[in-house]
Amino acid sequence: MGAGRVGPALAAALRLAGHHPVAVSAVSDASVRRAGELLPEVPIVEPAEVLARAELVLLTVPDDVLPGLVQGLADTGAVRPGQLLVHTSGRFGAGVLDPARRVGALPLALHPAMTFTGTSVDVQRLAGCSFGATAPEELRLAAEALVIEMGGEPEWIAEEARPLYHAALALGANHLVTLVAQSMELLRTAGVTAPDRMLGPLLGAALDNALRSGDAALTGPVARGDAGTVAAHVAELRRHAPAAVAGYLAMARTTADRALASGLLKPELAEDLLGVLGRGPEDPGTSETGAGLGARDEDPGTSGTGPEERGQGPVDPGSSRTGSGSRDEDPEDPYGREDPHHPAPGHDGPGHDGPEDDAQGDGDR
């Protein structure tokens, strides 16, 4: 159910393992095309008909849609006792399937920690892919078998840890895409004709080093305490790409904290650096590299490096703006949200007008 970028790829992988796909639901032209390419000759039917035909059902829908969809399927009698229901949400564990479980369904949460393109390359990428798996104890063997058949490796995530697990994947994968795209734009502005070719080896090495060594892999002006260089970066970004300043400062502050805690950033160099980073995105400071930046040979002592000491406390989560106006603009949504979702029969369904994108399958799904 749901022919976005995730569902057809998983179904195609299960077909290679010997399973027999019997039906798929798809509405938009893009979803129908994906289903046709990855699941040729599999009939496209209404969502309720998918459940009527299948013994194993993949619920590959957006996170915000999933709870209402499951409740609707259970309320309308679409779920059969003994039917395996597998959702691919990173945020939810098996508990979101409780309404279906109460009428006899067998619930599994299998979230592939992979980004999907909606093409056949996704099936190949599942080889060795970790799946965040959550299931009742009596269904763990079934969950493991399905993941292994798709070429993946199960990683067991406790029910209560699913949101944190998913946040970690979003932080690493989704934000990486934003950072790389922004870096490429800045390189083009600086006159680099092939920013992808320039960044490829650098980012590949940085990723490999980070995965191997963690904070010990930190390099660059922040980790070195080069406050003058960082101030020059901020000045140039304000001039050429003001929208990038806030992100640069936020990441540099976090990098400084981690570099100082791991011993890479010398405390005597931290004060000037944190002074530069403590200016808000709208504060241009001085046009030079910052007062006192030449005083590194003096002993400024240590300074507080946490966000509270710098006046950069955590943002009130209630104040964040979610900007729902752009949610329906992504034609390549991983769960086919370019389609108006079909709710279960007799169920109006939850907000189908563009729920938040899931991080991995998304880059998280």
Side-chain angles (χ1 to χ4, degrees), residues 262-324:
S262 63
L264 292 174
L265 175 59
K266 296 179 180 179
E268 61 269 23
L269 301 181
E271 187 172 17
D272 288 338
L273 176 66
L274 295 174
V276 173
L277 298 178
R279 300 172 192 152
E282 304 302 324
D283 177 12
T286 66
S287 59
E288 304 299 326
T289 57
L293 297 184
R296 288 185 176 177
D297 293 332
E298 300 175 8
D299 182 12
T302 62
S303 63
T305 62
E308 287 77 12
E309 287 88 346
R310 298 197 305 275
Q312 299 294 328
V315 177
D316 179 356
S319 66
S320 64
R321 294 174 293 178
T322 57
S324 61

Side-chain angles (χ1 to χ4, degrees), residues 86-305:
V86 179
H87 80 70
T88 58
S89 166
R91 169 187 169 191
F92 293 110
V96 73
L97 298 172
D98 278 349
R101 186 181 187 183
R102 285 192 288 269
V103 295
L106 307 178
L108 303 176
L110 303 179
H111 174 251
M114 179 53 62
T115 183
F116 289 82
T117 64
T119 66
S120 59
V121 70
D122 297 331
V123 181
Q124 302 167 27
R125 285 179 173 175
L126 290 175
C129 169
S130 292
F131 278 67
T134 306
E137 186 64 31
E138 64 273 18
L139 294 176
R140 284 173 68 104
L141 287 179
E144 287 181 349
L146 286 172
V147 170
I148 292 170
E149 285 180 330
M150 288 185 282
E153 296 287 339
E155 184 74 36
W156 291 101
I157 309 295
E159 183 81 25
E160 64 275 12
R162 294 287 291 207
L164 178 61
Y165 151 81
H166 194 229
L169 293 179
L171 186 66
N174 301 156
H175 297 173
L176 175 64
V177 174
T178 300
L179 290 172
V180 172
Q182 197 168 57
S183 180
M184 291 176 65
E185 289 176 356
L186 293 172
L187 286 172
R188 290 191 189 97
T189 301
V192 176
T193 57
D196 54 342
R197 188 171 64 221
M198 177 176 284
L199 285 174
L202 172 64
L203 297 183
L207 177 60
D208 183 66
N209 291 343
L211 291 174
R212 291 174 183 271
S213 306
D215 287 335
L218 283 172
T219 62
V222 173
R224 291 192 300 268
D226 288 337
T229 298
V230 172
H233 288 176
V234 175
E236 285 300 295
L237 291 175
R238 284 198 174 98
R239 184 176 299 114
H240 297 287
V245 174
Y248 181 96
L249 289 174
M251 290 302 299
R253 288 173 190 136
T254 300
T255 300
D257 288 342
R258 299 187 72 92
L260 192 59
S262 63
L264 292 174
L265 175 59
K266 296 179 180 179
E268 61 269 23
L269 301 181
E271 187 172 17
D272 288 338
L273 176 66
L274 295 174
V276 173
L277 298 178
R279 300 172 192 152
E282 304 302 324
D283 177 12
T286 66
S287 59
E288 304 299 326
T289 57
L293 297 184
R296 288 185 176 177
D297 293 332
E298 300 175 8
D299 182 12
T302 62
S303 63
T305 62

